[in-house]
Amino acid sequence: MSEPTESVDLIKLPVSQLTLGMFVSAIDKSDKGQLAIANAGQIKHKDAILKLARSGIKFVWVDTGRSADHCVFGKKTSNDASAGNKKT
């Protein structure tokens, strides 16, 4: 028997938008048409972000579910967006 697959919420982000606490699941090497997933993990130091940038990595795939609670991902929430536009 196989175990049920876990739902994963991955989003593609530019390295410039990475912040501490985000969980990088894959590195996008779109110039080579491949993904590298050997070094998945949570960003704990700013040096990790700098190393990605210096290596020429432009985009990464971030697992929002495994990232720290304080990380913000620009999720669309229709209730929040429309609440500010309502006239009373």
Side-chain angles (χ1 to χ4, degrees):
M1 283 188 168
S2 63
E3 293 184 29
T5 56
E6 189 174 314
S7 176
V8 177
D9 293 321
L10 293 177
I11 59 170
K12 185 177 181 179
L13 281 181
V15 170
S16 61
Q17 291 183 10
L18 278 176
T19 60
L20 298 179
M22 289 185 177
F23 190 95
V24 176
S25 291
I27 295 171
D28 191 309
K29 296 183 177 181
S30 52
D31 58 324
K32 297 179 183 177
Q34 57 184 287
L35 293 176
I37 57 172
N39 296 324
Q42 195 171 52
I43 300 290
K44 296 184 180 184
H45 303 283
K46 289 185 179 183
D47 291 344
I49 299 170
L50 293 172
K51 186 175 179 181
L52 287 168
R54 284 190 207 125
S55 297
I57 305 299
K58 303 220 183 310
F59 293 94
V60 295
W61 288 89
V62 174
D63 185 335
T64 59
R66 295 178 72 183
S67 294
D69 291 338
H70 66 269
C71 295
V72 179
F73 294 102
K75 293 179 183 175
K76 292 181 181 179
T77 54
S78 57
N79 291 341
D80 292 345
S82 63
N85 296 331
K86 287 185 180 178
K87 293 181 181 179
T88 54

